[in-house]
């Protein structure tokens, strides 16, 4: 990529990240493109230049979100020699999901808002992206059940128990700070959370 292309990509990424944060805090209806532009540190006209309207911006931001998730959660195969056992692989997956959730609390916040509303935007995101992440999560749970790492109970319930336990600590970060006096963005606190979830899930 030449310099101009890199600058354009960086500007778009900045806008999309700002959009994710504002949409996750205020919902689609409450968010304004002017506020998103201000958070991204760009002129409002750039939003219109890169995206047709607020709905197109939302969908582009969600696409950005899930593509980033796929990149950041990319792990070797469970039988990769890097892992001494399936349990070591399971621990690596759990820790990776916790670390991702800590870095990007806007992911769960945004999806929860749209899912609760059962919006057309949510159904689009589910069809485009969440179905695929569901397959990956299901495969992980089934592997753990087959290897005796997890009990053989409802796979769907197990997926939501795992994902919920990884995400909720960061989705409800203000509550965690207010009630527990802990900062979910503190690296030491994140490590403790990952250690706790590994200890609970890996038998």
């Amino acid at each position: 990529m030449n310099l101009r292309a890199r600058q354009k990509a960086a500007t778009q990424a900045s806008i999309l990240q700002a959009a994710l944060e504002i949409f996750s805090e205020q919902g689609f209806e409450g968010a304004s493109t002017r506020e998103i532009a201000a958070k991204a540190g760009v002129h409002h006209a750039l939003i219109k230049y890169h995206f047709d309207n607020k709905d197109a911006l939302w969908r582009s931001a969600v696409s950005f979100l899930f593509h980033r998730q796929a990149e950041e959660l990319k792990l070797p195969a469970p039988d990769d020699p890097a892992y001494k056992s399936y349990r070591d692989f399971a621990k690596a997956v759990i820790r990776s999901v916790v670390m991702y959730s800590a870095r990007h609390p806007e992911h769960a916040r945004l999806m929860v808002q749209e899912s609760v509303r059962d919006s057309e935007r949510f159904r689009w995101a589910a069809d485009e992206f969440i179905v695929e992440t569901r397959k990956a999560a299901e495969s992980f749970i089934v592997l753990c059940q087959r290897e005796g790492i997890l009990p053989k109970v409802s796979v769907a319930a197990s997926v939501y128990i795992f994902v919920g336990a990884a995400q909720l600590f960061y989705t409800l970060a203000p509550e965690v700070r207010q009630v527990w006096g802990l900062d979910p963005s503190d690296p030491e606190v994140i490590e403790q959370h990952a250690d706790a979830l590994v200890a609970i899930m890996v038998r």
Side-chain angles (χ1 to χ4, degrees):
M1 295 175 67
N2 60 32
L3 178 60
R4 185 173 182 178
R6 289 198 300 271
Q7 289 175 333
K8 181 178 180 180
T11 298
Q12 286 182 324
S14 178
I15 292 170
L16 293 172
Q17 180 58 35
L20 288 171
E21 293 177 19
I22 297 296
F23 283 133
S24 72
E25 292 168 2
Q26 301 183 21
F28 180 82
E29 302 300 337
S32 75
T33 54
R34 288 191 180 278
E35 189 171 3
I36 290 168
K39 190 170 188 68
V42 301
H43 194 278
H44 182 241
L46 275 177
I47 300 281
K48 294 183 178 180
Y49 173 77
H50 288 291
F51 309 98
D52 290 339
N53 51 46
K54 188 164 74 167
D55 184 75
L57 174 59
W58 189 93
R59 291 170 196 259
S60 294
V62 168
S63 296
F64 173 77
L65 176 72
F66 278 98
H67 286 125
R68 180 175 63 188
Q69 181 192 46
E71 286 298 314
E72 293 191 14
L73 292 181
K74 191 177 291 181
L75 289 168
D79 56 357
D80 189 286
Y83 304 111
K84 295 179 181 178
S85 67
Y86 286 118
R87 281 173 172 75
D88 286 341
F89 172 74
K91 291 176 182 179
V93 171
I94 293 166
R95 296 189 70 84
S96 182
V97 173
V98 169
M99 297 304 167
Y100 172 84
S101 301
R103 286 191 301 272
H104 304 296
E106 69 276 8
H107 187 136
R109 289 173 185 157
L110 183 63
M111 288 299 101
V112 166
Q113 282 197 24
E114 294 297 328
S115 180
V116 167
R117 293 183 175 91
D118 193 20
S119 67
E120 188 277 330
R121 290 181 302 276
F122 164 72
R123 291 191 291 274
W124 169 83
D127 291 342
E128 289 289 321
F129 303 108
I130 301 174
V131 166
E132 291 303 313
T133 61
R134 169 251 167 144
K135 290 177 183 176
E138 180 180 15
S139 296
F140 173 67
I141 294 297
V142 169
L143 169 70
C144 289
Q145 291 181 342
R146 186 191 75 205
E147 296 301 319
I149 298 168
L150 290 174
K152 291 185 177 180
V153 294
S154 164
V155 173
S158 298
V159 166
Y160 280 96
I161 289 168
F162 167 37
V163 174
Q167 293 178 335
L168 195 61
F169 194 72
Y170 309 102
T171 306
L172 299 182
E175 178 180 306
V176 174
R177 293 188 184 97
Q178 183 69 26
V179 175
W180 293 93
L182 296 172
D183 180 4
S185 66
D186 183 330
E188 184 177 350
V189 173
I190 296 169
E191 286 293 332
Q192 291 171 351
H193 179 209
D195 290 343
L197 191 52
V198 166
I200 290 169
M201 288 191 65
V202 180
R203 300 194 299 179

